[in-house]
Amino acid sequence: MTITRQNTDAVRAFQGLEDGRSSVRLRAALAVGTAPDPRFIDKLIERCAIEPEFFVRDMLTWALTRHPVSMTLPELVCEVRSERAQARSQALHTLSKIGDRQAWPAITRTLLSDADDEVARSAWRAAVVLVPEDEESALAEVLATQLGRGERETQLSLSRALVALGEIIVPALRAATTVSDPRVRAHALATQRLLRDPDAGFDFAIEEAKRVVALGGSGQEGR
C-alpha cells in the first residue's frame, strides 16, 4: 500500500512539474523537495533548463538541494556545459546554493566571461561561494576582466561578487582604474568605494565614479 502510494505521488509530481499552470508546478516542486526521491533528480534538472517562472525555478533549486550531494553534483556539473543558457545559469545557481567546493573546477574562465549576462552573473555568484582560499586572488583577476560590462544589474552583481572576496581584490581594482576604457575605470572605482563603504550604495558609488572619470581623475589621488 505504502509503495503504491509513493509511486502514485511520484507520478503526480512528475506530471505537476510539466503542468501549464505555474502554481501547480510550484506546488509540485515543493512536494518533491519535501519528500526527496533520487528518481526526481534528472527531472528537476531538466525542468530548470526550461522553466519560465523565477519562483518556480527557485523552488526547483531548493528541491535539488534536498537531495544527496553525491547524486546531484555530478549532474549539475555536466549541466553547466549545456548549450542552453538557462540550463547553465540555473545549474550554477544551484551549485552556489549547495555550496560544495568539489564543484569549484567546473567554474571555468569561459563561464565567468559567458556571453549571456545571466549565466555570467550566476557564475560570479557561484565562484565566490566555491573558490578555495588559495585561488581567491586569481579569481579576483578574472572577475576584474569583466568590469564595465553590461548595464546596472550586471555591474552591480559583479561588484557584489568582487566585494565578497574582500581586500584581496584591491590590486586587481587598482590596475583596472588605469585602463583606457572609461566604463571599466568607473566600475572599478565604484567597486573600490563599496569595498571601503558597503553602505554607500551602488548607484551613488557609480555616479560618483563617473564624475571622477569624466574630470580625468583616477580616483587614486592622495592615496
Side-chain angles (χ1 to χ4, degrees), residues 17-18 25 29 40-65 72 75-76 79-80 82 84-95 97-98 118:
L17 289 172
E18 295 184 339
R25 298 195 304 275
F40 284 106
I41 292 173
D42 287 346
K43 185 65 175 179
L44 290 170
I45 292 175
E46 175 188 314
R47 190 66 211 175
C48 280
I50 59 174
E51 172 55 51
E53 297 293 332
F54 170 79
F55 291 110
V56 180
R57 290 199 302 273
D58 224 34
M59 190 65 77
L60 292 167
T61 281
W62 173 77
L64 282 165
T65 67
T72 57
E75 299 284 344
L76 291 167
E79 194 73 352
V80 302
S82 170
R84 187 187 289 268
Q86 183 172 305
R88 298 196 300 277
S89 176
Q90 200 64 24
L92 286 162
H93 174 64
T94 306
L95 287 172
K97 293 299 182 182
I98 292 173
E118 194 58 43

